[in-house]
Amino acid sequence: MDRTLANGLRVLALRHGVTPLVEARLHLPRPCPARGDLASSMLLAACLSRREDVESDVELEAAADVHQMTVTAHGPEPRSLAAALAQAVRAVPGEAEVEPARGQLTAQLKMVRAHPDITVRHELARHLFGDHPVAFQVSEEDVGRWPERPLDPSGAVLVILGRDDPESLADAAGEALAGWPTPPCPAPPLPPLPPIEGGRLALLPRPGAPQSRVRLRAQAVTVGHPRYPALFLALNVLGGYLSSRLSRSLREDKGYVYGVTTFFDTHPGSALLAIEADTAAATTGAALEVLAAELRRMRTHPPTEREIDSARAYALGSMATRLAPRAAFASALADMAAKGRDPLWLLDFPRRLAAVSSRDVVAAAKDFFAPGRFSGLVAADPGTLASPLSL
């Protein structure tokens, strides 16, 4: 059931599973053009997660990033769940609720900043995108201002899954949320991400670090592009699972890395190819050489029929397994909305993968995997590097 309310909220209701628990994911576009906007949006999410006056049988939590806020809820009955969501998104928390949420958020930010990989991801975003809002890193000092903007149902998507008839699920959501008003001045969207300039590999100095972190990105096509399924399979052949080329060469044959993976790093209106590997400091240069060689091999020795069939079987099987739980399926549909795509596109993706020809996968490997297309960071001890970084 696909229904759009008068206030602009889109409701997607699907029958899924046989257990009585109802899952809901509410995706709310909430662009944050300034770091203070992101901090206040995160504070609002922390307040929503701490609400104690929602329906007692409903569990609710929220999270915010620079593009949006996502509210997760589950409970045994659709009407109480919808009522809890409506109460949460329209209520204005009092100071007695805000202060504990602010304290909890600042404590979480301190813990997050202490994690080395978080720092690497922040520096990677700054290296690739400069002062674009996706590179914001909120600190404890930023958490102060209460958000002035109310939550906006216009353009929001509510995914609700349960064992009940989808019509009744949508009715429950519509009755509870139809009165949610649209603010008079909606926030403008963030500027699009600038395209990545290839060949920019930078060192993030980590003196004395026993481990190096390799984080690479290259421009890709978005999920709605006709070439996306072929590129998806080519990326799987390269490093998407244990039998992939990077895993065999870097981990099994050479023993250079603790782990290596490839994936799509997606943002609203943009998508990037991602390669990430962790290696011992002493093998950083050697690991980069092998990684670059495997990228070149994707073009000089393109994926074989056997590799493509294996990558396809793995993708279809892992997708079916991963999305089998109701909560995971609801999250995946909401994530599609967060990336700027129609959530129902996900339902057709297995068919698209099955229809991809080997010729299309080979063409995608040739066009997208040249080492010079990739840029990124290597967080490492400079003293362990025998030569300048390159691919």
Side-chain angles (χ1 to χ4, degrees):
M1 173 59 62
D2 189 349
R3 183 183 301 175
T4 300
L5 307 184
N7 58 10
L9 173 66
R10 183 183 180 188
V11 178
L12 290 176
L14 292 88
R15 179 184 280 118
H16 189 284
V18 296
T19 58
L21 194 68
V22 181
E23 288 283 348
R25 301 292 184 272
L26 178 59
H27 158 68
L28 294 156
R30 192 173 176 81
C32 299
R35 194 168 63 182
D37 297 324
L38 177 56
S40 63
S41 194
M42 293 172 70
L43 179 57
L44 177 56
C47 285
L48 293 181
S49 299
R50 292 178 55 87
R51 294 303 300 266
E52 297 179 353
D53 58 346
V54 298
E55 298 285 340
S56 59
D57 59 351
V58 175
E59 294 188 25
L60 184 149
E61 59 183 286
D65 63 26
V66 72
H67 292 290
Q68 67 257 321
M69 182 180 294
T70 302
V71 182
T72 299
H74 55 267
E77 200 275 322
R79 295 193 180 278
S80 62
L81 183 146
L85 279 173
Q87 186 178 6
V89 298
R90 298 185 64 181
V92 178
E95 192 63 25
E97 297 174 89
V98 174
E99 281 308 310
R102 182 179 286 118
Q104 183 180 31
L105 178 58
T106 54
Q108 291 173 344
L109 290 172
K110 288 179 182 178
M111 294 178 59
V112 166
R113 291 180 68 193
H115 196 290
D117 198 48
I118 299 299
T119 301
V120 173
R121 290 186 182 280
H122 170 63
E123 294 298 329
L124 175 64
R126 288 183 57 188
H127 176 63
L128 296 177
F129 306 119
D131 59 358
H132 191 280
V134 296
F136 288 157
Q137 185 177 39
V138 174
S139 67
E140 308 90 87
E141 293 75 20
D142 297 315
V143 182
R145 181 166 61 92
W146 179 247
E148 300 174 358
R149 288 186 291 150
L151 293 173
D152 187 353
S154 178
V157 178
L158 172 64
V159 176
I160 182 167
L161 273 62
R163 67 178 182 180
D164 296 343
D165 175 63
E167 185 97 20
S168 64
L169 293 173
D171 287 344
E175 291 170 10
L177 293 160
W180 179 9
T182 301
C185 299
L190 295 181
L193 279 180
I196 289 180
E197 179 185 348
R200 297 174 59 240
L201 191 59
L203 172 66
L204 181 62
R206 287 289 183 263
Q211 179 176 319
S212 300
R213 300 168 189 269
V214 179
R215 303 292 184 261
L216 304 177
R217 298 292 188 271
Q219 204 67 48
V221 295
T222 58
V223 294
H225 194 280
R227 299 193 73 182
Y228 178 83
L231 186 55
F232 183 94
L233 289 182
L235 193 61
N236 258 11
V237 170
L238 177 65
Y241 64 118
L242 287 177
S243 296
S244 65
R245 292 187 177 188
L246 286 178
S247 183
R248 288 199 307 267
S249 59
L250 279 168
R251 193 167 185 268
E252 296 177 15
D253 297 345
K254 302 292 194 302
Y256 286 163
V257 300
Y258 309 112
V260 60
T261 187
T262 63
F263 59 94
F264 275 88
D265 183 4
T266 54
H267 304 264
S270 180
L272 311 173
L273 300 176
I275 302 175
E276 300 194 350
D278 297 332
T279 180
T283 57
T284 303
L288 281 172
E289 289 179 4
V290 173
L291 197 156
E294 289 298 337
L295 284 172
R296 288 191 291 270
R297 284 190 67 245
M298 288 291 289
R299 309 177 78 219
T300 61
H301 297 75
T304 64
E305 289 276 359
R306 183 175 180 179
E307 286 180 309
I308 294 169
D309 289 343
S310 179
R312 192 191 331 259
Y314 174 82
L316 292 171
S318 63
M319 179 181 251
T321 301
R322 180 170 54 87
L323 298 183
R326 184 181 293 164
F329 189 48
S331 294
L333 290 171
D335 186 63
M336 290 298 298
K339 300 302 187 292
R341 294 299 305 170
D342 187 335
L344 298 180
W345 180 93
L346 184 67
L347 303 180
D348 192 46
F349 189 50
R351 182 195 64 80
R352 294 172 185 265
L353 278 186
V356 174
S357 69
S358 298
R359 182 177 61 184
D360 290 339
V361 177
V362 169
K366 180 179 179 181
D367 293 343
F368 288 91
F369 289 105
R373 297 189 71 249
F374 285 82
S375 292
L377 286 182
V378 178
D381 180 354
T384 64
L385 302 175
S387 60
L389 295 173
S390 64
L391 282 177

